[in-house]
Every structure is written in C-alpha cells, then in structure tokens.
Amino acid sequence: MTASLLLASAAAHAVDEATAIELAKTNGCLSCHSAKEKIVGPSYIAVADRYKDDKDAVPSLVQSIQRGSKGKWGRTPMPAHDTMGQADLKTLAEWVMSIRP
C-alpha cells in the first residue's frame, strides 16, 4: 500500500514535459535556451546543475522567468515574462529542474 501511495504521489508531482515544452516554444524560451547547449542563455542542463542543491530553486527560477534577470549568467540579460501565469511559470521552472544530462 505504501509503495502505491508513493508512486501516486510521484505521478501527481511529475512535470508534464509536453506542456512545458509547448510553454517554452510559445513564450520564446527556445530562442535563447536549449536543453544541452548554450545559445544566448545557458542550457537547461546547466541551469538544473547550478541549482540542483538549492531547495528554493523552483521559486527562484519562477522569479527569474517572470521578472527577468541580469548578471547571473553573463552580460546578456534575460527579458521578463511578466504576462505568464503562476502555474505556467512553475511548470517551466519544475521542467528545467527535471532535465538531466
């Protein structure tokens, strides 16, 4: 019984990758980022690696996506995506943190 509860809990918290990728496409994220290689901004793998030990990684990424950022990854600033809803921001941040090499 405990194992089935753990599996159900994990499934409930799993990131919907297809939704996240669609959000990344429609919000221009893939113009500057890719999973494995630096384009204008860092790769998603590099972001996940940098924040892997940070318990506040998802809220921090949500804030960076929503408000934009500068100086975290070099001189080029990331533009704000302040019209995105909180659920979409969280989906993107959780997806980035789920990406592994």
Side-chain angles (χ1 to χ4, degrees):
M1 175 115 146
T2 304
S4 63
L5 288 174
L6 289 174
L7 287 174
S9 176
H13 294 293
V15 175
D16 182 349
E17 184 175 25
T19 298
I21 291 171
E22 188 59 31
L23 284 169
K25 285 179 185 176
T26 59
N27 287 285
C29 304
L30 300 178
S31 296
C32 295
H33 301 278
S34 78
K36 296 181 180 181
E37 297 177 11
K38 176 180 175 28
I39 298 177
V40 174
S43 70
Y44 292 132
I45 289 173
V47 174
D49 187 52
R50 177 181 278 188
Y51 292 99
K52 68 183 176 208
D53 296 325
D54 183 349
K55 65 179 178 55
D56 296 320
V58 169
S60 177
L61 291 176
V62 164
Q63 182 173 332
S64 290
I65 297 166
Q66 183 177 32
R67 297 182 183 167
S69 68
K70 59 183 174 180
K72 291 182 180 182
W73 294 92
R75 297 177 65 177
T76 305
M78 184 171 109
H81 294 81
D82 53 1
T83 60
M84 290 181 66
Q86 287 298 309
D88 289 347
L89 291 163
K90 186 174 180 191
T91 295
L92 279 174
E94 289 175 343
W95 173 63
V96 169
M97 290 306 298
S98 75
I99 296 175
R100 299 288 176 251

